[in-house]
Amino acid sequence: MRSSVLSLSVARDAFPATPPLERAVASALPTRLRPADLLRLTDEGAEDVLAGRYDHLLPANGVWPADERWATRLLTDDEVDVWLISWTPGKSTELHDHAGSLGALTVLSGALSEFRWNGSELRRRVLSAGDQASFPIGWVHDVMRAPAQSVAGSATESIDPALLEPTLSVHAYSPPLTAMSYYEVTGHGSLRRTRTVLTDQPEGDM
């Protein structure tokens, strides 16, 4: 199986250098990578996590944080960041975009709820283990761990979250994240930007 680093090298080779021109021409996108490349990187990153190739980056003793989201960077260079994120119950990212970066994710275990702004309202979808999604520039969404209905036939509200299987996802951003804007839905059914922050953390500060 190819590693994420190898797949990134292949992705780069798939986009040869642009022939020199007499004048500079701006690219239509801020990166040579495309959504399909990011989806492939997150899929291969998830496979590598399952295969144990990143065990040295995981929480000590296999204990996942139960109170706050946790993340570790799996791969980084000038073109792309690849992250592993662990999600905890009740903690959302808030409604945000990824500024000038394209994004993609693969759900490794558990499930995520995504609330995406479609231009007039928020639409919810659930992404379960094995599902993928890509995010073009301008994509505004809120993401959180999807509430499980039951564990071994019991309501999860009565179970310590630390005892539940972790909800994990692998994310890729190209170019690497440098900023995110946050939004709120107004009473008139439109989006209003509330703040923009500089960040290099995936899906907002942990």
Side-chain angles (χ1 to χ4, degrees), residues 24-55:
V25 176
S27 171
L29 290 174
T31 173
R32 293 185 297 169
L33 302 182
R34 297 297 184 263
D37 300 308
L38 299 184
L39 289 168
R40 183 172 62 252
L41 285 173
T42 60
D43 185 49
E44 293 179 353
E47 290 183 5
D48 288 341
V49 170
L50 288 174
R53 295 186 178 90
Y54 292 113
D55 283 356

Side-chain angles (χ1 to χ4, degrees), residues 79-127:
E79 287 191 312
V80 67
D81 261 349
V82 180
W83 291 82
L84 173 67
I85 302 178
S86 171
W87 301 80
T88 53
K91 302 290 184 179
S92 78
T93 62
E94 299 184 57
L95 201 58
H96 68 278
D97 65 21
H98 302 128
S101 297
L102 302 176
L105 69 82
T106 294
V107 180
L108 182 58
S109 62
L112 298 176
S113 290
E114 182 197 34
F115 297 86
R116 178 179 65 88
W117 180 254
N118 69 358
S120 59
E121 62 181 354
L122 292 174
R123 298 294 300 272
R124 178 179 181 264
R125 65 174 170 174
V126 175
L127 300 170

